[in-house]
């Protein structure tokens, strides 16, 4: 027997609970380093909030639809997985902002992080904020550094330094679109580095601009995959299996039990799925708390619903949207602006009434992604659910949900959308991390936590965080991580409004 065989120690056994992107990325890192990995996913499919649906004869993303290119972490992973050539960039049309109250619509002005205006006196910013709001934002760099000091939430800091108009008409819709939570419930920690930049530059405007410049390309560059983001899940699953890991779907883990032989992964009936040396819990916060027996919290997740409409491109009203779209989509503000053009007919039948828009955001898929353009079908996607409240669509049947979606899309896009233009509807509800203060989750030794409730929203935050989690585990057990996809730590910044504002 070779001498090295006598001293070789058993491979590190790791259980990864959760088969979403975080879990699969962590599993791949661990497997490439030589660990024996078992992935347990409670659902019958992998991917978490990355999912597609069949609609009008094609597959469309009904979950996460894009990734921010900041940091290069996603692009590097795509290269390693051999699918980098599948990446596609959006049309340079920009996003719009539409008032839910008065229907006013305008292009979203150039902004720093979280919608804080980069050029307060520009015509685009004045159109959204009004002259008084723009002037108030413009004097922000002249305010003493002490103004806003001691703020604990995004809302407090923005209101103190930039004024109520910036908070309500720009920051609030962006926050609701990105986090499904109002800025009053967003601690400053959701924007790592913002406080430091404000202190360094002496200005929220300058600090937000600097933070945005460090963490994203100009314009908040984003990309997707030509076959949809499920291509990433398919490639990750293949890579994880090729690296030697085992993946089991339909296998929920209900609890962990530490014994002398390691940590047991227990099922709903107390059955032992496996015994491992360490565990990565890549699951939603509520599931992690249940598995660990941590105190239950009433608002760890909030519900959103995504609806995708397939519209007949030959219909006259739909054809007008193709010729003159409102950018790649829009965020909906709850504030009345009183500026900009009217949003147009609000009802599905074209009734010229003041729109009361319920959706929080719309993506004009066919205009945003040139590769998704089809000669017969125009795709529009709406997102519902904000401020911790259940989506207005949640209790509606398909007919009623379609009627609401048509009304909202008509108001946002500025054109009537009758039912006869509809070719199909796809809908899906998602649980998103809820922001706010609560008792922290403290895992026991040998258990690490992963997921967007830990890292921040979006692939650009989730992927490097999952890689770091895997390497932290390996380091703790004296195992060298593979180095092919080294991802430096980056701030978990919010997503650009034109990119990953829908569930990721």
């Amino acid at each position: 027997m070779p001498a090295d065989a006598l001293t070789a120690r058993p491979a590190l056994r790791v259980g990864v609970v959760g088969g979403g992107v975080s879990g699969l990325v962590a599993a791949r890192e661990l497997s490439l380093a030589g660990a024996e990995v078992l992935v347990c996913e409670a659902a019958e499919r992998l991917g978490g909030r990355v999912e597609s649906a069949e609609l009008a004869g094609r597959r469309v993303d009904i979950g996460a639809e894009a990734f921010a290119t900041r940091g290069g972490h996603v692009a590097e992973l795509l290269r390693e997985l051999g699918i980098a050539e599948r990446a596609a960039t959006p049309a340079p049309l920009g996003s719009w902002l539409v008032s839910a109250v008065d229907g006013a619509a305008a292009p979203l002005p150039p902004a720093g992080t979280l919608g804080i205006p980069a050029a307060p006196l520009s015509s685009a910013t004045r159109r959204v904020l009004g002259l008084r709001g723009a002037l108030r934002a413009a004097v922000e760099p002249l305010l003493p550094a002490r103004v806003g000091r001691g703020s604990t939430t995004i809302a407090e800091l923005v209101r103190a330094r930039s004024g109520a108009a910036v908070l309500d008409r720009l920051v609030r819709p962006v926050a609701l679109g990105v986090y499904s939570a109002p800025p009053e419930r967003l601690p400053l920690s959701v924007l790592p580095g913002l406080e430091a930049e404000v202190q360094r530059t002496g200005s929220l405007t300058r600090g937000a601009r600097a933070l945005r410049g460090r963490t994203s390309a100009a314009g908040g560059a984003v990309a997707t995959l030509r076959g949809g983001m499920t291509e990433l899940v398919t490639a990750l699953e293949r890579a994880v299996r090729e690296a030697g890991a085992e993946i089991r779907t339909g296998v929920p883990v209900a609890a962990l039990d530490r014994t002398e032989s390691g940590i047991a992964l227990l099922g709903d009936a107390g059955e032992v799925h496996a015994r491992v040396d360490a565990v990565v819990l890549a699951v939603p916060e509520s599931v992690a708390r249940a598995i660990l027996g941590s105190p239950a919290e009433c608002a760890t997740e909030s519900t959103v619903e995504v609806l995708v409409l397939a519209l007949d491109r030959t219909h006259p009203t739909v054809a007008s949207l193709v010729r003159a779209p409102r950018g790649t989509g829009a965020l909906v503000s709850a504030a009345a602006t009183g500026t900009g053009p009217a949003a147009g007919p609000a009802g599905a039948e074209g009734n010229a009434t003041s729109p009361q828009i319920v959706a929080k955001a719309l993506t004009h898929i066919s205009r945003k992604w040139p590769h998704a353009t089809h000669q017969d079908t125009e795709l529009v996607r709406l997102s519902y659910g904000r401020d911790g409240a259940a989506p207005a669509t949640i209790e509606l049947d398909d007919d009623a949900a379609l009627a609401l979606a048509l009304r909202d899309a008509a108001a946002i896009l500025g054109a009537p959308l009758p039912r006869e233009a509809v070719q199909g509807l796809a809908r899906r509800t998602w649980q998103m991390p809820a922001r706010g203060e609560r008792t922290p989750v403290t895992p026991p030794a040998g258990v690490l936590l992963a997921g967007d409730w830990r890292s921040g929203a979006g692939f650009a935050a989730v992927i490097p965080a999952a890689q770091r989690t895997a390497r932290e585990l390996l380091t703790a057990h004296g195992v060298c991580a593979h180095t092919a996809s080294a991802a430096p730590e980056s701030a978990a910044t919010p997503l650009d409004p034109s990119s990953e504002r829908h569930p990721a």
Side-chain angles (χ1 to χ4, degrees):
M1 180 178 294
D4 58 352
L6 293 174
T7 58
R9 59 182 178 181
L12 175 66
R13 303 169 300 169
V14 182
V16 176
V17 182
V21 170
S22 289
L24 292 174
V25 168
R28 177 175 177 268
E29 292 288 320
L30 294 164
S31 299
L32 290 174
E36 292 182 0
V37 178
L38 168 65
V39 179
C40 292
E41 166 56 48
E44 295 296 335
R45 66 169 190 89
L46 300 172
R49 290 193 297 273
V50 181
E51 187 177 4
S52 62
E54 184 76 21
L55 183 62
R58 73 206 64 221
R59 303 298 299 182
V60 297
D61 284 321
I62 198 72
E65 61 132 6
F67 59 89
T69 58
R70 66 175 186 267
H73 309 301
V74 183
E76 176 60 26
L77 178 61
L78 296 181
R79 284 191 289 270
E80 290 190 28
L81 296 175
I83 58 173
E85 75 285 352
R86 302 292 296 160
T89 55
L93 299 177
S95 299
W96 280 54
L97 187 67
V98 178
S99 168
V101 178
D102 60 16
L108 197 64
T113 190
L114 207 60
I116 297 167
L121 293 179
S122 69
S123 60
T125 305
R126 294 199 310 271
R127 186 177 182 185
V128 172
L129 298 183
L131 180 58
R132 179 176 296 183
L135 288 173
R136 172 65 179 84
V139 302
E140 185 277 329
L142 305 178
L143 297 178
R146 66 177 181 275
V147 175
R149 186 177 296 163
S151 298
T152 59
T153 67
I154 294 295
E156 286 181 285
L157 180 61
V158 173
R159 187 186 300 276
R161 293 206 61 88
S162 298
V166 170
L167 173 63
D168 292 331
R169 298 179 185 178
L170 287 174
V171 173
R172 189 176 305 281
V174 173
L176 289 167
V178 172
Y179 296 109
S180 296
E184 287 81 3
R185 292 219 310 269
L186 294 178
L188 294 180
S189 59
V190 303
L191 291 173
L194 179 61
E195 285 185 280
E197 284 297 332
V198 172
Q199 292 179 6
R200 183 182 70 83
T201 64
S203 162
L204 177 59
T205 301
R206 290 192 292 261
R209 189 187 303 135
L211 189 63
R212 172 72 171 270
R214 270 208 326 269
T215 56
S216 73
V222 298
T224 191
L225 296 174
R226 295 184 182 277
M229 290 308 299
T230 53
E231 287 192 333
L232 172 61
V233 176
T234 300
L236 276 172
E237 178 184 7
R238 181 174 60 249
V240 170
R241 293 188 188 277
E242 289 176 351
E246 179 184 358
I247 298 176
R248 301 180 192 172
T249 57
V251 179
V253 173
L256 306 177
D257 182 28
R258 182 178 293 278
T259 66
E260 291 183 359
S261 59
I263 303 173
L265 306 180
L266 305 181
D268 290 331
E271 71 277 20
V272 177
H273 295 314
R275 295 187 185 277
V276 296
D277 303 308
V279 175
V280 175
L281 291 182
V283 293
E285 181 180 352
S286 60
V287 178
R289 286 180 177 274
I291 291 173
L292 296 175
S294 297
E297 299 281 348
C298 61
T300 55
E301 284 93 38
S302 61
T303 303
V304 300
E305 183 165 17
V306 172
L307 284 78
V308 182
L309 307 180
L311 305 172
D312 180 4
R313 285 190 74 191
T314 65
H315 192 282
T317 59
V318 179
S320 69
L321 298 181
V322 177
R323 292 191 300 269
R326 284 186 168 172
T328 60
L331 291 173
V332 178
S333 169
T337 65
T339 63
E349 303 305 323
N351 296 323
T353 59
S354 297
Q356 298 293 321
I357 303 170
V358 181
K360 68 176 181 180
L362 177 147
T363 299
H364 196 156
I365 298 174
S366 301
R367 299 303 98 205
K368 181 173 183 177
W369 305 112
H371 70 273
T373 301
H374 190 272
Q375 63 180 359
D376 299 323
T377 301
E378 197 75 0
L379 298 174
V380 173
R381 163 181 169 145
L382 297 103
S383 181
Y384 291 86
R386 63 169 84 207
D387 200 7
T393 53
I394 199 72
E395 299 294 338
L396 302 181
D397 62 22
D398 286 350
D399 285 343
L402 174 59
L404 177 60
L406 283 171
R407 190 198 76 183
D408 284 349
I412 294 170
L413 296 172
L417 293 175
R419 281 181 179 267
E420 58 263 27
V422 177
Q423 295 177 330
L425 167 71
R427 57 190 300 195
R428 183 74 159 82
T429 58
W430 300 104
Q431 295 298 307
M432 302 292 292
R435 303 290 167 175
E437 297 297 327
R438 49 184 172 265
T439 307
V441 181
T442 305
V447 178
L448 285 81
L449 304 174
D452 58 0
W453 64 282
R454 300 279 295 178
S455 64
F459 296 106
V462 164
I463 287 171
Q467 292 170 336
R468 291 193 300 270
T469 298
R471 290 167 186 167
E472 179 183 342
L473 189 155
L474 293 168
T475 299
H477 288 81
V479 179
C480 293
H482 92 289
T483 58
S485 64
E489 185 168 356
S490 66
T493 57
L495 312 175
D496 184 78
S498 65
S499 61
E500 299 175 80
R501 62 173 175 258
H502 295 300

